[in-house]
Amino acid sequence: MFFTASTIKDSADNVAFFVAANLASGVDHMFVFLDAPKDPGQREVAASLAGHPHVTCLPTTRGGWWDGYRPAGLNVRQRTNANWARAVLEPLEWAQWLFHVDGDEVARLDRDALDAVPAAHDAVWLPPWEAVSTWDSTRPTRFKTLLDDPDLTLLHVLGRIEEPTNQAYFHGHVMGKSGVRPGSGLGLTLHDAVSPDGHKQERHHDPRLSVLHYDAPSGEEFVRKWTALAHAGPARYRASRAPSAQALRTLVTRDLPDDVRARYLREIYERTTQDDVATLAELGLLVEADPVGRGLSPRPLDDAQRRALADRVAELAEGPKAGYLVEDSRGGDAARPSRKEQLGRLNPLGRRG
């Protein structure tokens, strides 16, 4: 069985897509932690997931889930919840893999690829595919992949990116996501698999595995996302993205007329996030992926598995959660992937038709 863990605060429509897309892309069961379960719209999300056979929905209230000590930082809450899920699954031998994904991500899995991971590897890497972004798009099916130096230089010389790096090409993270064998003892940060003392672990890579990242697939989603992040508490961003994050937080939280705020939010979106999709398509730099249309069927829990999972959830749900936090020891979750991961493990499906 393949599991995901995600901490989310989103609309019912977006959550419905998020669940459907992951379950159609190779995931069997999802832990969904509602980050602000008492906020407007979140009770509807909880109701939509109640009783779902492939979802364990956990409202993370301050007094209940967090035992009165809710971490201020979103990143801390995400890592804590993901590693709580790993602890739940640890003794369950049929729980083969757990992936930590965000609410705007889809784990694009392949059962043959995961079954073929060498026994010596307890972690796998999902390289990122980032959805292209235009102001009026909905959920695009064209994605950017990590590029090699010649393509990055071409885009830089054409003036499409500020510098010839994947960090400039992608608006979201270039780190991808990780999965671990729950029984291995390895933990999960936002992007990496780490040992109990926080050291990054080697991850197996297979070209059939990736994570689809809908970082800001439209202007409307860009505004919704950054408005939510502005009120979610402290978060860490890579250095190149920190100024934009600070500017957006300032704009969202300042007392301004709605039309003024909307105008400048659109300007920031156009300056920082909107893609030149026509150029990228003409140059053959995009790949196609429709996660819902992929149509894989999640494997159901049998009665014994369902009881075992419910018992573990009930057992570990009580009490403080701070002990489940896994830190890394190499400078934070915003560090970059290695050059080997960026350049030597690019999508082999082909970008040029």
Side-chain angles (χ1 to χ4, degrees):
M1 301 287 287
F2 306 151
F3 291 78
T4 58
S6 306
T7 300
I8 66 170
K9 178 186 174 184
D10 210 329
S11 68
D13 286 345
N14 282 349
V15 173
F17 170 78
F18 164 69
V19 170
N22 273 280
L23 294 177
S25 295
V27 177
D28 295 313
H29 197 88
M30 305 174 68
F31 288 98
V32 176
F33 300 87
L34 301 185
D35 192 45
K38 295 183 179 180
D39 279 12
Q42 296 307 288
R43 287 183 174 85
E44 290 79 359
V45 171
S48 72
L49 298 178
H52 195 300
H54 299 286
V55 176
T56 296
C57 181
L58 297 151
T60 61
T61 57
R62 179 182 296 274
W65 180 257
W66 294 113
D67 199 34
Y69 297 96
R70 182 178 187 263
L74 173 61
N75 298 163
V76 175
R77 300 195 299 274
Q78 290 171 310
R79 295 199 305 273
T80 301
N81 290 336
N83 287 288
W84 179 89
R86 192 208 62 79
V88 165
L89 298 176
E90 184 171 10
L92 307 179
E93 294 183 357
W94 41 267
Q96 295 170 290
W97 292 99
L98 172 66
F99 296 87
H100 187 192
V101 298
D102 293 338
D104 60 357
E105 294 175 333
V106 175
R108 186 176 174 273
L109 305 181
D110 183 279
R111 292 172 186 170
D112 290 339
L114 289 170
D115 288 343
V117 176
H121 286 82
D122 289 325
V124 295
W125 181 49
L126 304 182
W129 292 11
E130 183 178 90
V132 298
S133 183
T134 60
W135 180 260
D136 57 357
S137 62
T138 52
R139 292 191 176 97
T141 58
R142 288 187 288 186
F143 291 81
K144 301 182 292 185
T145 62
L146 297 175
L147 300 182
D148 54 19
D149 286 341
D151 285 331
L152 291 168
T153 300
L154 173 61
L155 291 177
H156 175 58
V157 172
L158 289 173
R160 298 310 192 270
I161 54 178
E162 293 185 357
E163 57 182 28
T165 65
N166 280 306
Q167 285 75 20
Y169 181 48
F170 272 36
H171 310 302
H173 64 80
V174 298
M175 294 288 290
K177 289 301 174 78
S178 294
V180 299
R181 300 187 197 269
S184 67
L186 296 183
L188 290 162
T189 64
L190 293 186
H191 303 285
D192 292 322
V194 297
S195 61
D197 59 359
H199 286 87
K200 181 181 177 182
Q201 300 297 292
E202 181 181 356
R203 298 172 294 180
H204 177 74
H205 176 251
D206 187 294
R208 293 170 287 183
L209 306 173
S210 61
V211 60
L212 306 181
H213 189 192
Y214 295 83
D215 178 65
S218 69
E220 179 182 359
E221 183 59 18
F222 173 87
V223 172
R224 186 209 64 78
K225 175 179 178 178
W226 283 100
T227 300
L229 286 174
H231 300 287
R236 288 186 290 178
Y237 304 97
R238 67 174 187 255
S240 62
R241 203 180 192 194
S244 294
Q246 182 178 356
L248 285 160
R249 184 182 296 274
T250 300
L251 187 58
V252 167
T253 57
R254 178 160 292 174
D255 184 16
L256 295 171
D258 289 345
D259 61 328
V260 173
R261 180 181 294 104
R263 184 168 72 251
Y264 285 107
L265 280 171
R266 177 157 185 164
E267 181 173 341
I268 291 177
Y269 167 80
E270 291 173 346
R271 287 174 175 268
T272 65
T273 304
Q274 184 166 267
D275 285 312
D276 184 349
V277 178
T279 295
L280 298 179
E282 284 185 340
L283 294 176
L285 298 178
L286 302 178
V287 295
E288 291 280 340
D290 178 5
V292 175
R294 195 175 179 197
L296 298 180
S297 297
R299 292 171 288 192
L301 298 168
D302 62 31
D303 289 343
Q305 291 169 339
R306 188 170 300 281
R307 286 194 300 270
L309 180 60
D311 288 346
R312 288 290 294 170
V313 168
E315 178 185 353
L316 272 62
E318 301 298 326
K321 303 300 186 298
Y324 296 103
L325 175 63
V326 173
E327 297 278 10
D328 59 42
S329 62
R330 57 182 190 85
D333 293 308
R336 299 180 179 184
S338 67
R339 291 293 288 172
K340 181 180 180 182
E341 287 178 340
Q342 285 197 52
L343 303 181
R345 296 175 171 180
L346 299 179
N347 167 40
L349 298 180
R351 295 187 301 272
R352 295 174 174 79

